[in-house]
Amino acid sequence: MICPLIYFPNSWSHCSSIRTRGRPLKLETWERNLYAVWVAQFLALMGANLVFPFIPFFVKDLGVESDSGAALWSGVAGTATGAMLFISSPLWGSLADRFGRKKMLLRAYAGATVTITLQALVTNLWQLIALRALQGAFVGTIPAATALVAAGTPKRRLAYALGLVQMAVFMSQTVGPVIGGLMAQAVGFRMTFALGGLLYVASFFLCLFMVKEEFVRPPPGDRPSYVENLRTVMRVPSMLLLIGVMFLVSSASTFVRPVVPLVVEGFTDSSPEAKTGFVFAAVALTSAVAAVVSGRIAERSGYKNALVVATLGAGLAYIPLATADSLPPLLVYMAVVGVFSGAMIPMVNALIGASAPEGKHGSAFGLVGSAQALSFAVAPLLGGVTAQQLGIHAGFPIVGAMLVAVAALIWLTVREPASLNDERRERERAASPSPSP
């Protein structure tokens, strides 16, 4: 039988096993947690992605008149979220190592429920920006979910597990913008914000009842301080380099995100919100597939090699987006970008998860979340300024050139963690035939 991805309380024991060659095979705790987190993250992030197709248009409804002004203030709203997430993410990560990673994920879902729902009630631009900032301060579901999964997953399966978590991100980016664009047309911007809040409520209860974390809180004398946790993580060789790489690869999509709705609007006379949703869905769909497939490939070829190929391919794929002169080629180019960009973040996360000290995954991915948040803060603003000064198509070749340079940086400086090389050699030795006596 095929076990469904969505588990209900009264069917969990039924779905916690699958059949292989006629015999039941019980899923391990880390696998059950992985699939539950996958569903919770998909629902939550779909709620977050409902609003992206119409944020520039919502900004216009709040009083901004020009396209360039809408791009700029949409970037400012994104910067407010990213700046607060940058500040808060390491703190939440360190608390996760002290009190439990499941608790921090539940805290993030609760914070998102409140802040996103309240955005349906704003009456001016500054209220929207303030709530987007509060959303950044109290949310951070991606690093919280990543830390929860990474801490309980065997290192040899990290690429697969974190690729699946990232697949939930990309699948939500596939479905969310499409539904959000259609809902914005049907019921308006404000009701769409409210639906996003309800989806976070569903994720909260799914995580509460379905995820089992085997967390043992350190005794009072063995609880390092917030600063000590961060120092322990940062002393790991190449950790700061990998966090820097995460910042750069995360900046790529957020740099161009504020201008994509305006590029689409230039190609059509009707329904730009819905068509923008399909553009975001094109890149997210191919990214979702790449996130999982790349994990399987990386287990054989190495995480570093997979990351270099993905980053170089994404850089080269971004450049021709500047030449798109209608909606169909834009959709095709964005889909090609997703084929490569979908592998970048899972590979960086897998390298970080394999390198993190035991019991410090919350702190490690708190720093990762901070790096991603900094990209969310800086890149949309730079993208908006670039669009205002150089035109709305100028950002695509700039991002492409940056990613090509990042691929070269990874090739020259990043090293595969020794633990992964040791496990790979052991698997190869176990798979090779024994010599004849």
Side-chain angles (χ1 to χ4, degrees), residues 72-85 129 132-133 373-382:
L72 178 61
W73 286 108
S74 297
V76 170
T79 296
T81 305
M84 295 306 296
L85 187 57
I129 292 172
R132 299 298 284 185
L374 184 61
S375 74
F376 300 154
V378 174
L381 183 60
L382 291 178

Side-chain angles (χ1 to χ4, degrees), residues 50-71:
L50 290 176
V51 306
F52 282 121
F54 62 77
I55 283 288
F57 309 118
F58 190 50
V59 167
K60 285 185 176 182
D61 274 5
L62 294 174
V64 177
E65 296 180 356
S66 67
D67 284 351
S68 60

Side-chain angles (χ1 to χ4, degrees), residues 186-206:
V187 299
F189 301 149
R190 297 178 185 275
M191 286 298 295
T192 307
F193 276 112
L195 175 63
L198 287 175
L199 289 173
Y200 273 100
V201 172
S203 296
F204 178 92
F205 285 106
L206 182 63

